[in-house]
Amino acid sequence: MNNKNSSIKIQKDSIKINHSYDKNNSFLKFNKKQVSNDQKKIKLLIQKALADKSLISKIDQEHIHIIQALKEDLLDSQKKNKEFNFNISPNVEKEIELLEYKDLLRFLIHRYRYEIYPQTLERDSYPPYLQIEPTSFCNFRCVFCFQSNPSFSGRKNGFMGHMTFETFREIVDQAENKIEFISLASRGEPLICHDIEKMLAYTRNKFLNLKINTNASVLTESKIHSILQSGVKTLVFSADAADEKLYEKLRVNGNFEKTIKNIALFKEIREKHYPKKKIITRVSGVKVNESQNFEDMKNLWDELVDQVAFVDYCPWEDVYSSKKNKFQKPCTELWRRMYVWWDGVANPCEVDFKSSLTVGKIDKNDIHSLWTSNAYEDLRNKHKTKLRLDLDPCNKCVVV
């Protein structure tokens, strides 16, 4: 609704656009409800898992060495003087609480890969994280998103489409038992995808943490049941304000009251029909100016979800027309995750939303061969050797 808002320019007055964007520390504010397990109990579980021979015997040999690093970082009170240490953050604490004990060691290893490898610039056989794009279509035109860029979102430009279930199934089959952290989201609104409910059903019991991001605008009873019956462990509702006027200025075409109603419906169905379902719900907003008040966000959303957060703003509305910057630090995304678009195109990041840096397509290569390909390695090497400025659009991007 409210197309009139599309002409309103939101002043990002609290953000220095020339700052670097740290993907490993994107949370600016994070609030969670009290959990039943305290930190001491979680530490005891971790200590037990790291010494459990039956769990260790099931770990891929490629990752066995990580167990010693986890012991040093999580259990050694006199930590070695290491440049990078693995810690349990508040959001990860909640994820651990929802795990079965048999999955704890595997979770810690894959979480370590996700957080530490991008900092140490290590790569193994598979990406620590995979983002699968069910669709590139979105019904919103948020002011801080590339969907507001008609050269991308205009249908005639060739970037819009829905992933087929067959392509999705192929990706999931390749990822299962290899990649434990998956997101069903990227450039579009995933719940718009024609086959999304069928896709969700196919993910059941396949991954340690499957996340879906949605603006909640097309959340129906049927889709809510599909989410709660699927393998989704983290459901993120995107909302950036606690009042109607600001929300609809930021999320152009959004309807504040409808968003609240749909999220409330999710909570109602969850509590009534799936009281034992292990899932985390979060309202997450992009912090773009001082008008957004986190206390107001908590006061509104706390009753409806488990967590409320603000993430840092990343200027990616149109990286291609941005000015070149002087950042030389390697982009950690090259070691953290891979994206697969609706049409099977594999891309190293979503700031490059027009796929200038694509490393191939999933229909001609598998995930492993794409992740370890010469094209991907060339990108990584150029970033490691401070040749990032020679790569377009890396030379205009602020993600590190």
Side-chain angles (χ1 to χ4, degrees), residues 288-314:
V288 295
N289 65 30
E290 293 302 325
S291 299
Q292 297 163 277
N293 185 284
F294 191 64
E295 289 303 313
D296 292 342
M297 288 279 287
K298 287 195 296 180
N299 290 338
L300 174 66
W301 300 111
D302 250 359
E303 292 299 312
L304 297 175
V305 295
D306 303 313
Q307 302 169 350
V308 181
F310 266 146
V311 295
D312 198 3
Y313 161 70
C314 179

PDB file of all heavy atoms in Angstrom, residues 288-314:
ATOM      1  N   VAL A 288      18.620   2.588  10.065  1.00  0.00           N
ATOM      2  CA  VAL A 288      19.057   3.569   9.068  1.00  0.00           C
ATOM      3  C   VAL A 288      19.030   5.006   9.567  1.00  0.00           C
ATOM      4  O   VAL A 288      19.655   5.872   8.968  1.00  0.00           O
ATOM      5  CB  VAL A 288      18.217   3.469   7.770  1.00  0.00           C
ATOM      6  CG1 VAL A 288      18.441   2.146   7.085  1.00  0.00           C
ATOM      7  CG2 VAL A 288      16.750   3.693   8.046  1.00  0.00           C
ATOM      8  N   ASN A 289      18.300   5.295  10.648  1.00  0.00           N
ATOM      9  CA  ASN A 289      18.334   6.670  11.174  1.00  0.00           C
ATOM     10  C   ASN A 289      17.918   6.716  12.638  1.00  0.00           C
ATOM     11  O   ASN A 289      17.513   5.711  13.226  1.00  0.00           O
ATOM     12  CB  ASN A 289      17.482   7.618  10.318  1.00  0.00           C
ATOM     13  CG  ASN A 289      16.004   7.292  10.351  1.00  0.00           C
ATOM     14  OD1 ASN A 289      15.472   6.773  11.324  1.00  0.00           O
ATOM     15  ND2 ASN A 289      15.316   7.613   9.256  1.00  0.00           N
ATOM     16  N   GLU A 290      18.035   7.874  13.228  1.00  0.00           N
ATOM     17  CA  GLU A 290      17.801   8.034  14.664  1.00  0.00           C
ATOM     18  C   GLU A 290      16.325   7.998  15.037  1.00  0.00           C
ATOM     19  O   GLU A 290      15.978   7.936  16.222  1.00  0.00           O
ATOM     20  CB  GLU A 290      18.430   9.348  15.157  1.00  0.00           C
ATOM     21  CG  GLU A 290      19.959   9.363  15.084  1.00  0.00           C
ATOM     22  CD  GLU A 290      20.589   8.231  15.880  1.00  0.00           C
ATOM     23  OE1 GLU A 290      20.035   7.866  16.937  1.00  0.00           O
ATOM     24  OE2 GLU A 290      21.615   7.680  15.439  1.00  0.00           O
ATOM     25  N   SER A 291      15.438   8.042  14.068  1.00  0.00           N
ATOM     26  CA  SER A 291      14.013   7.978  14.363  1.00  0.00           C
ATOM     27  C   SER A 291      13.596   6.594  14.849  1.00  0.00           C
ATOM     28  O   SER A 291      12.565   6.437  15.499  1.00  0.00           O
ATOM     29  CB  SER A 291      13.196   8.336  13.113  1.00  0.00           C
ATOM     30  OG  SER A 291      13.483   9.649  12.691  1.00  0.00           O
ATOM     31  N   GLN A 292      14.399   5.609  14.532  1.00  0.00           N
ATOM     32  CA  GLN A 292      14.097   4.235  14.943  1.00  0.00           C
ATOM     33  C   GLN A 292      14.575   4.021  16.377  1.00  0.00           C
ATOM     34  O   GLN A 292      15.774   4.099  16.653  1.00  0.00           O
ATOM     35  CB  GLN A 292      14.784   3.238  14.007  1.00  0.00           C
ATOM     36  CG  GLN A 292      14.309   3.310  12.566  1.00  0.00           C
ATOM     37  CD  GLN A 292      15.278   2.627  11.631  1.00  0.00           C
ATOM     38  OE1 GLN A 292      16.276   3.218  11.212  1.00  0.00           O
ATOM     39  NE2 GLN A 292      15.012   1.367  11.314  1.00  0.00           N
ATOM     40  N   ASN A 293      13.649   3.732  17.265  1.00  0.00           N
ATOM     41  CA  ASN A 293      13.960   3.597  18.687  1.00  0.00           C
ATOM     42  C   ASN A 293      13.864   2.124  19.102  1.00  0.00           C
ATOM     43  O   ASN A 293      12.812   1.496  18.962  1.00  0.00           O
ATOM     44  CB  ASN A 293      12.986   4.446  19.510  1.00  0.00           C
ATOM     45  CG  ASN A 293      13.333   4.433  20.982  1.00  0.00           C
ATOM     46  OD1 ASN A 293      13.080   3.453  21.680  1.00  0.00           O
ATOM     47  ND2 ASN A 293      13.911   5.531  21.461  1.00  0.00           N
ATOM     48  N   PHE A 294      14.968   1.586  19.622  1.00  0.00           N
ATOM     49  CA  PHE A 294      14.997   0.164  19.951  1.00  0.00           C
ATOM     50  C   PHE A 294      14.079  -0.176  21.123  1.00  0.00           C
ATOM     51  O   PHE A 294      13.475  -1.250  21.156  1.00  0.00           O
ATOM     52  CB  PHE A 294      16.421  -0.289  20.244  1.00  0.00           C
ATOM     53  CG  PHE A 294      16.562  -1.791  20.344  1.00  0.00           C
ATOM     54  CD1 PHE A 294      16.324  -2.590  19.241  1.00  0.00           C
ATOM     55  CD2 PHE A 294      16.914  -2.398  21.538  1.00  0.00           C
ATOM     56  CE1 PHE A 294      16.440  -3.973  19.326  1.00  0.00           C
ATOM     57  CE2 PHE A 294      17.034  -3.769  21.637  1.00  0.00           C
ATOM     58  CZ  PHE A 294      16.804  -4.565  20.520  1.00  0.00           C
ATOM     59  N   GLU A 295      13.976   0.722  22.083  1.00  0.00           N
ATOM     60  CA  GLU A 295      13.080   0.466  23.213  1.00  0.00           C
ATOM     61  C   GLU A 295      11.633   0.371  22.740  1.00  0.00           C
ATOM     62  O   GLU A 295      10.861  -0.468  23.221  1.00  0.00           O
ATOM     63  CB  GLU A 295      13.223   1.563  24.271  1.00  0.00           C
ATOM     64  CG  GLU A 295      14.547   1.525  25.031  1.00  0.00           C
ATOM     65  CD  GLU A 295      14.780   0.188  25.718  1.00  0.00           C
ATOM     66  OE1 GLU A 295      13.832  -0.299  26.379  1.00  0.00           O
ATOM     67  OE2 GLU A 295      15.877  -0.374  25.593  1.00  0.00           O
ATOM     68  N   ASP A 296      11.262   1.224  21.799  1.00  0.00           N
ATOM     69  CA  ASP A 296       9.923   1.150  21.224  1.00  0.00           C
ATOM     70  C   ASP A 296       9.723  -0.175  20.479  1.00  0.00           C
ATOM     71  O   ASP A 296       8.645  -0.786  20.535  1.00  0.00           O
ATOM     72  CB  ASP A 296       9.677   2.317  20.265  1.00  0.00           C
ATOM     73  CG  ASP A 296       9.596   3.665  20.977  1.00  0.00           C
ATOM     74  OD1 ASP A 296       9.381   3.664  22.212  1.00  0.00           O
ATOM     75  OD2 ASP A 296       9.745   4.698  20.306  1.00  0.00           O
ATOM     76  N   MET A 297      10.774  -0.600  19.778  1.00  0.00           N
ATOM     77  CA  MET A 297      10.716  -1.885  19.071  1.00  0.00           C
ATOM     78  C   MET A 297      10.468  -3.019  20.051  1.00  0.00           C
ATOM     79  O   MET A 297       9.590  -3.867  19.846  1.00  0.00           O
ATOM     80  CB  MET A 297      12.024  -2.121  18.310  1.00  0.00           C
ATOM     81  CG  MET A 297      12.230  -1.256  17.081  1.00  0.00           C
ATOM     82  SD  MET A 297      11.356  -1.877  15.612  1.00  0.00           S
ATOM     83  CE  MET A 297      12.351  -3.307  15.185  1.00  0.00           C
ATOM     84  N   LYS A 298      11.215  -3.033  21.142  1.00  0.00           N
ATOM     85  CA  LYS A 298      11.039  -4.085  22.149  1.00  0.00           C
ATOM     86  C   LYS A 298       9.643  -4.050  22.747  1.00  0.00           C
ATOM     87  O   LYS A 298       9.005  -5.099  22.934  1.00  0.00           O
ATOM     88  CB  LYS A 298      12.084  -3.938  23.257  1.00  0.00           C
ATOM     89  CG  LYS A 298      13.491  -4.334  22.858  1.00  0.00           C
ATOM     90  CD  LYS A 298      14.389  -4.514  24.068  1.00  0.00           C
ATOM     91  CE  LYS A 298      14.577  -3.217  24.837  1.00  0.00           C
ATOM     92  NZ  LYS A 298      15.448  -3.402  26.009  1.00  0.00           N
ATOM     93  N   ASN A 299       9.171  -2.863  23.065  1.00  0.00           N
ATOM     94  CA  ASN A 299       7.862  -2.735  23.697  1.00  0.00           C
ATOM     95  C   ASN A 299       6.740  -3.272  22.811  1.00  0.00           C
ATOM     96  O   ASN A 299       5.768  -3.843  23.298  1.00  0.00           O
ATOM     97  CB  ASN A 299       7.586  -1.278  24.054  1.00  0.00           C
ATOM     98  CG  ASN A 299       8.465  -0.772  25.184  1.00  0.00           C
ATOM     99  OD1 ASN A 299       8.984  -1.566  25.976  1.00  0.00           O
ATOM    100  ND2 ASN A 299       8.652   0.530  25.255  1.00  0.00           N
ATOM    101  N   LEU A 300       6.893  -3.073  21.492  1.00  0.00           N
ATOM    102  CA  LEU A 300       5.857  -3.542  20.574  1.00  0.00           C
ATOM    103  C   LEU A 300       5.987  -5.033  20.273  1.00  0.00           C
ATOM    104  O   LEU A 300       5.018  -5.787  20.368  1.00  0.00           O
ATOM    105  CB  LEU A 300       5.909  -2.755  19.259  1.00  0.00           C
ATOM    106  CG  LEU A 300       4.966  -3.259  18.158  1.00  0.00           C
ATOM    107  CD1 LEU A 300       3.510  -3.068  18.574  1.00  0.00           C
ATOM    108  CD2 LEU A 300       5.243  -2.557  16.834  1.00  0.00           C
ATOM    109  N   TRP A 301       7.196  -5.474  19.914  1.00  0.00           N
ATOM    110  CA  TRP A 301       7.377  -6.803  19.337  1.00  0.00           C
ATOM    111  C   TRP A 301       7.660  -7.896  20.351  1.00  0.00           C
ATOM    112  O   TRP A 301       7.502  -9.086  20.047  1.00  0.00           O
ATOM    113  CB  TRP A 301       8.489  -6.771  18.290  1.00  0.00           C
ATOM    114  CG  TRP A 301       8.233  -5.842  17.143  1.00  0.00           C
ATOM    115  CD1 TRP A 301       8.895  -4.686  16.867  1.00  0.00           C
ATOM    116  CD2 TRP A 301       7.248  -5.982  16.115  1.00  0.00           C
ATOM    117  NE1 TRP A 301       8.386  -4.096  15.734  1.00  0.00           N
ATOM    118  CE2 TRP A 301       7.368  -4.873  15.251  1.00  0.00           C
ATOM    119  CE3 TRP A 301       6.262  -6.939  15.846  1.00  0.00           C
ATOM    120  CZ2 TRP A 301       6.555  -4.696  14.139  1.00  0.00           C
ATOM    121  CZ3 TRP A 301       5.457  -6.761  14.739  1.00  0.00           C
ATOM    122  CH2 TRP A 301       5.605  -5.655  13.901  1.00  0.00           C
ATOM    123  N   ASP A 302       8.104  -7.531  21.549  1.00  0.00           N
ATOM    124  CA  ASP A 302       8.479  -8.534  22.551  1.00  0.00           C
ATOM    125  C   ASP A 302       7.366  -9.526  22.860  1.00  0.00           C
ATOM    126  O   ASP A 302       7.626 -10.694  23.172  1.00  0.00           O
ATOM    127  CB  ASP A 302       8.918  -7.850  23.852  1.00  0.00           C
ATOM    128  CG  ASP A 302      10.411  -8.007  24.100  1.00  0.00           C
ATOM    129  OD1 ASP A 302      11.076  -8.653  23.266  1.00  0.00           O
ATOM    130  OD2 ASP A 302      10.906  -7.489  25.110  1.00  0.00           O
ATOM    131  N   GLU A 303       6.143  -9.085  22.810  1.00  0.00           N
ATOM    132  CA  GLU A 303       5.023  -9.958  23.134  1.00  0.00           C
ATOM    133  C   GLU A 303       4.724 -10.962  22.025  1.00  0.00           C
ATOM    134  O   GLU A 303       4.022 -11.952  22.255  1.00  0.00           O
ATOM    135  CB  GLU A 303       3.763  -9.114  23.415  1.00  0.00           C
ATOM    136  CG  GLU A 303       3.844  -8.283  24.678  1.00  0.00           C
ATOM    137  CD  GLU A 303       4.025  -9.150  25.920  1.00  0.00           C
ATOM    138  OE1 GLU A 303       3.277 -10.138  26.059  1.00  0.00           O
ATOM    139  OE2 GLU A 303       4.921  -8.860  26.730  1.00  0.00           O
ATOM    140  N   LEU A 304       5.267 -10.696  20.849  1.00  0.00           N
ATOM    141  CA  LEU A 304       4.919 -11.522  19.694  1.00  0.00           C
ATOM    142  C   LEU A 304       6.016 -12.485  19.272  1.00  0.00           C
ATOM    143  O   LEU A 304       5.738 -13.496  18.627  1.00  0.00           O
ATOM    144  CB  LEU A 304       4.552 -10.619  18.506  1.00  0.00           C
ATOM    145  CG  LEU A 304       3.318  -9.721  18.701  1.00  0.00           C
ATOM    146  CD1 LEU A 304       3.145  -8.802  17.499  1.00  0.00           C
ATOM    147  CD2 LEU A 304       2.067 -10.555  18.915  1.00  0.00           C
ATOM    148  N   VAL A 305       7.266 -12.160  19.608  1.00  0.00           N
ATOM    149  CA  VAL A 305       8.392 -12.975  19.145  1.00  0.00           C
ATOM    150  C   VAL A 305       9.383 -13.232  20.276  1.00  0.00           C
ATOM    151  O   VAL A 305       9.314 -12.618  21.342  1.00  0.00           O
ATOM    152  CB  VAL A 305       9.134 -12.294  17.961  1.00  0.00           C
ATOM    153  CG1 VAL A 305       8.235 -12.201  16.741  1.00  0.00           C
ATOM    154  CG2 VAL A 305       9.654 -10.917  18.362  1.00  0.00           C
ATOM    155  N   ASP A 306      10.337 -14.130  20.010  1.00  0.00           N
ATOM    156  CA  ASP A 306      11.337 -14.490  21.015  1.00  0.00           C
ATOM    157  C   ASP A 306      12.463 -13.475  21.107  1.00  0.00           C
ATOM    158  O   ASP A 306      13.062 -13.298  22.171  1.00  0.00           O
ATOM    159  CB  ASP A 306      11.942 -15.862  20.680  1.00  0.00           C
ATOM    160  CG  ASP A 306      10.893 -16.953  20.576  1.00  0.00           C
ATOM    161  OD1 ASP A 306      10.035 -17.024  21.476  1.00  0.00           O
ATOM    162  OD2 ASP A 306      10.922 -17.723  19.593  1.00  0.00           O
ATOM    163  N   GLN A 307      12.780 -12.839  19.991  1.00  0.00           N
ATOM    164  CA  GLN A 307      13.930 -11.932  19.945  1.00  0.00           C
ATOM    165  C   GLN A 307      13.590 -10.693  19.116  1.00  0.00           C
ATOM    166  O   GLN A 307      12.779 -10.768  18.185  1.00  0.00           O
ATOM    167  CB  GLN A 307      15.150 -12.639  19.317  1.00  0.00           C
ATOM    168  CG  GLN A 307      15.580 -13.895  20.040  1.00  0.00           C
ATOM    169  CD  GLN A 307      16.607 -14.699  19.251  1.00  0.00           C
ATOM    170  OE1 GLN A 307      16.879 -14.437  18.083  1.00  0.00           O
ATOM    171  NE2 GLN A 307      17.188 -15.701  19.898  1.00  0.00           N
ATOM    172  N   VAL A 308      14.244  -9.583  19.461  1.00  0.00           N
ATOM    173  CA  VAL A 308      14.115  -8.343  18.692  1.00  0.00           C
ATOM    174  C   VAL A 308      15.528  -7.820  18.439  1.00  0.00           C
ATOM    175  O   VAL A 308      16.370  -7.828  19.346  1.00  0.00           O
ATOM    176  CB  VAL A 308      13.295  -7.282  19.454  1.00  0.00           C
ATOM    177  CG1 VAL A 308      13.159  -6.011  18.610  1.00  0.00           C
ATOM    178  CG2 VAL A 308      11.921  -7.820  19.824  1.00  0.00           C
ATOM    179  N   ALA A 309      15.780  -7.360  17.221  1.00  0.00           N
ATOM    180  CA  ALA A 309      17.140  -6.926  16.893  1.00  0.00           C
ATOM    181  C   ALA A 309      17.129  -5.779  15.888  1.00  0.00           C
ATOM    182  O   ALA A 309      16.189  -5.610  15.112  1.00  0.00           O
ATOM    183  CB  ALA A 309      17.942  -8.098  16.327  1.00  0.00           C
ATOM    184  N   PHE A 310      18.201  -5.009  15.930  1.00  0.00           N
ATOM    185  CA  PHE A 310      18.545  -4.072  14.872  1.00  0.00           C
ATOM    186  C   PHE A 310      19.851  -4.554  14.251  1.00  0.00           C
ATOM    187  O   PHE A 310      20.800  -4.904  14.974  1.00  0.00           O
ATOM    188  CB  PHE A 310      18.778  -2.659  15.417  1.00  0.00           C
ATOM    189  CG  PHE A 310      17.585  -1.755  15.381  1.00  0.00           C
ATOM    190  CD1 PHE A 310      17.385  -0.802  16.369  1.00  0.00           C
ATOM    191  CD2 PHE A 310      16.657  -1.818  14.355  1.00  0.00           C
ATOM    192  CE1 PHE A 310      16.303   0.047  16.352  1.00  0.00           C
ATOM    193  CE2 PHE A 310      15.549  -0.982  14.321  1.00  0.00           C
ATOM    194  CZ  PHE A 310      15.372  -0.054  15.329  1.00  0.00           C
ATOM    195  N   VAL A 311      19.921  -4.573  12.935  1.00  0.00           N
ATOM    196  CA  VAL A 311      21.177  -4.862  12.251  1.00  0.00           C
ATOM    197  C   VAL A 311      21.681  -3.596  11.582  1.00  0.00           C
ATOM    198  O   VAL A 311      20.913  -2.679  11.277  1.00  0.00           O
ATOM    199  CB  VAL A 311      21.026  -5.988  11.207  1.00  0.00           C
ATOM    200  CG1 VAL A 311      20.674  -7.299  11.883  1.00  0.00           C
ATOM    201  CG2 VAL A 311      19.991  -5.630  10.157  1.00  0.00           C
ATOM    202  N   ASP A 312      22.967  -3.559  11.371  1.00  0.00           N
ATOM    203  CA  ASP A 312      23.597  -2.399  10.753  1.00  0.00           C
ATOM    204  C   ASP A 312      23.118  -2.249   9.307  1.00  0.00           C
ATOM    205  O   ASP A 312      22.792  -3.229   8.635  1.00  0.00           O
ATOM    206  CB  ASP A 312      25.122  -2.581  10.787  1.00  0.00           C
ATOM    207  CG  ASP A 312      25.882  -1.296  10.585  1.00  0.00           C
ATOM    208  OD1 ASP A 312      25.235  -0.239  10.469  1.00  0.00           O
ATOM    209  OD2 ASP A 312      27.127  -1.351  10.550  1.00  0.00           O
ATOM    210  N   TYR A 313      23.076  -1.022   8.863  1.00  0.00           N
ATOM    211  CA  TYR A 313      22.699  -0.719   7.477  1.00  0.00           C
ATOM    212  C   TYR A 313      23.890  -0.938   6.546  1.00  0.00           C
ATOM    213  O   TYR A 313      25.008  -0.484   6.814  1.00  0.00           O
ATOM    214  CB  TYR A 313      22.212   0.727   7.375  1.00  0.00           C
ATOM    215  CG  TYR A 313      22.233   1.295   5.974  1.00  0.00           C
ATOM    216  CD1 TYR A 313      21.338   0.850   5.014  1.00  0.00           C
ATOM    217  CD2 TYR A 313      23.154   2.275   5.622  1.00  0.00           C
ATOM    218  CE1 TYR A 313      21.357   1.359   3.729  1.00  0.00           C
ATOM    219  CE2 TYR A 313      23.183   2.802   4.340  1.00  0.00           C
ATOM    220  CZ  TYR A 313      22.283   2.341   3.391  1.00  0.00           C
ATOM    221  OH  TYR A 313      22.316   2.849   2.124  1.00  0.00           O
ATOM    222  N   CYS A 314      23.654  -1.649   5.474  1.00  0.00           N
ATOM    223  CA  CYS A 314      24.671  -1.845   4.440  1.00  0.00           C
ATOM    224  C   CYS A 314      24.206  -1.143   3.172  1.00  0.00           C
ATOM    225  O   CYS A 314      23.123  -1.450   2.654  1.00  0.00           O
ATOM    226  CB  CYS A 314      24.876  -3.332   4.161  1.00  0.00           C
ATOM    227  SG  CYS A 314      26.094  -3.675   2.861  1.00  0.00           S
TER     228      CYS A 314
END
